[in-house]
Amino acid sequence: RPDSAHLDAAGRAAAAVGAFAVRKRVLERVGHAQRRGAVIIAVDDILTTGATLAAVGCLLDGYGIEVPAAAVVAATQRYSAHPQE
């Protein structure tokens, strides 16, 4: 998907919806892993608004894949567009 650095939280969420797909072979592996008791953890390189992790979680949930946790490598501090806020 295109860079979302210029988008606000709502724009990031909208851009993330439909930006991801799961390959059939991955679904099969994950399904088998969860049936054996494996835990699926979503991983993102950087957390800004959480839109990417939310979209991935919703996508996997639609396939019946539970993602009880997420991990990020780095997080950004939310800055207001208005310095007085």
Side-chain angles (χ1 to χ4, degrees), residues 11-68:
R12 287 172 184 259
V17 173
F20 302 98
V22 182
R23 293 184 181 127
K24 184 178 178 179
R25 66 181 173 83
V26 172
L27 281 177
E28 292 167 357
R29 275 195 221 156
V30 169
H32 293 302
Q34 281 203 318
R35 285 192 289 279
R36 291 190 314 268
V39 176
I40 306 302
I41 299 173
V43 179
D44 196 358
D45 61 340
I46 188 162
L47 179 69
T48 49
T49 64
T52 299
L53 289 173
V56 168
C58 287
L59 173 67
L60 294 175
D61 185 57
Y63 288 102
I65 298 170
E66 181 182 355
V67 182

